[in-house]
Amino acid sequence: MTSRAKALWLTSRPKTLSASFIPVITAHALVLAEGRTAEFWISACALLASIFIQIGTNFVNDALDFIKGADAETRLGDARASQQGWFTHKFVLSLGIGCFVVAAAFGLPLVIHGGIPILIVGLISLLMGYAYTGGPFPLAYVGLGDLFVIVFFGLVAVSGVVFLHTSQILPSALVCGLQIGLLATVMIAINNLRDLEQDQLVNKRTLAVRLGPRLGRYEVVALVMGAFLLNSYWLHRGYLLSFLLPILALPLGIYLLQRLLNSQADRTYNRLLALGSLLHILFGLLLSLGFVFR
């Protein structure tokens, strides 16, 4: 991989990309579990649109956090392209907008298939991708970033894909979406705990800043345990494997929480962020397998 290609790859923040593909995979499997027809092309377009929205959001975040001073040389997280000078912030911002355009192109067949509801969801998702750190009311700067992830990378992502296949908003899709969204939010919550002191300096009022380090850690506990507790829904539905298989990911979740509760925010949180991504992937894939083989 060339240095320029590697820089682009790192700028996409690969540790966070599970937030884009796990909801689509799980939703596709849920459609099968519900006895409906799951069209491959629908899930493929949704997957690509979701990935490009995620990468676009990360690029825009990279550029705008640099402009606002949130990514200083003292930051504890992985290197950022604009801050490191790999690319100019204007170039990174243009890449982010370009990713949104590509996402819209992949979303167009979905709009044609799903109609006005999908058009509205798609436009709002693109807008929120930019508004995460941009615009007059940036979500990440006022403590709404965590809620944004739960809603758009959980509830909306899973329910939207299921709706495209079934033309219905299913209760099971909302539960599944909430589970996936809670675990996706673990990553941003850990990220914000790590960057709490730097964010305070630039008045970036993330939820971690508002709660403080102690309650911020308990937020992560609530996110992880909430996802696993909601698994009882699948037992109620008679989806035994969907209830049992995700429990195999619980030891990883407990290990992550133990490490988080017994450490201070420093560069070791980058490893915890990777563990959060792994938990999200493992839980989502195990839940999906439970749906497929129920």
Side-chain angles (χ1 to χ4, degrees):
M1 182 181 290
T2 66
S3 58
R4 190 174 180 85
K6 183 178 180 180
L8 283 172
W9 171 245
L10 293 175
T11 307
S12 73
R13 304 183 191 178
K15 291 178 183 177
T16 69
L17 294 185
S18 65
S20 61
F21 63 81
I22 286 298
V24 180
I25 292 172
T26 311
H28 187 96
L30 177 59
V31 172
L32 296 175
E34 294 286 356
R36 311 296 184 90
T37 301
E39 298 283 352
F40 175 78
W41 74 266
I42 291 177
S43 294
C45 286
L47 178 65
L48 291 167
S50 181
I51 288 174
F52 277 100
I53 289 176
Q54 171 77 39
I55 295 176
T57 300
N58 289 343
F59 282 166
V60 170
N61 177 257
D62 186 300
L64 296 185
D65 268 355
F66 172 76
I67 293 172
K68 296 176 182 181
D71 283 346
E73 293 182 359
T74 56
R75 71 182 308 276
L76 299 175
D78 294 334
R80 294 286 178 258
S82 301
Q83 182 259 322
Q84 291 290 324
W86 297 338
F87 309 106
T88 67
H89 69 271
K90 291 181 179 179
F91 178 70
V92 175
L93 183 60
S94 68
L95 285 177
I97 301 301
C99 285
F100 290 152
V101 172
V102 174
F106 283 116
L108 183 59
L110 302 178
V111 171
I112 295 172
H113 176 76
I116 297 298
I118 297 302
L119 175 62
I120 294 172
V121 167
L123 290 176
I124 293 175
S125 296
L126 289 170
L127 177 62
M128 291 298 100
Y130 181 82
Y132 183 73
T133 46
F137 192 72
L139 302 176
Y141 282 72
V142 295
L144 294 177
D146 303 58
L147 180 61
F148 163 81
V149 174
I150 291 174
V151 172
F152 285 94
F153 289 95
L155 293 168
V156 171
V158 173
S159 297
V161 173
V162 172
F163 178 84
L164 281 164
H165 288 291
T166 67
S167 299
Q168 292 179 291
I169 300 295
L170 302 179
S172 57
L174 294 175
V175 173
C176 178
L178 183 55
Q179 287 182 286
I180 298 301
L182 289 172
L183 291 179
T185 309
V186 167
M187 292 181 280
I188 188 177
I190 293 173
N191 181 85
N192 290 341
L193 278 169
R194 182 199 62 203
D195 296 339
L196 188 151
E197 291 186 5
Q198 179 65 36
D199 288 341
Q200 284 179 318
L201 294 176
V202 297
N203 201 33
K204 185 176 181 180
R205 304 287 293 172
T206 64
L207 188 57
V209 170
R210 292 180 181 277
L211 293 176
R214 182 169 176 269
L215 290 179
R217 289 181 174 87
Y218 289 148
E219 179 206 353
V220 179
V221 174
L223 292 169
V224 172
M225 299 314 297
F228 281 97
L229 289 173
L230 281 170
N231 230 41
S232 60
Y233 172 82
W234 305 115
L235 182 61
H236 172 72
R237 283 290 310 276
Y239 290 12
L240 184 59
L241 281 179
S242 301
F243 168 71
L244 291 174
L245 287 180
I247 295 175
L248 297 175
L250 185 57
L252 176 61
I254 293 174
Y255 175 71
L256 168 63
L257 294 179
Q258 287 178 330
R259 290 283 304 274
L260 180 75
L261 293 172
N262 293 292
S263 63
Q264 297 299 314
D266 55 25
R267 295 189 188 278
T268 62
Y269 269 41
N270 294 329
R271 175 166 172 75
L272 295 185
L273 181 58
L275 288 175
S277 176
L278 179 60
L279 177 63
H280 185 236
I281 293 171
L282 184 60
F283 184 95
L285 292 181
L286 288 170
L287 183 60
S288 300
L289 284 174
F291 290 148
V292 172
F293 297 107
R294 63 174 292 268

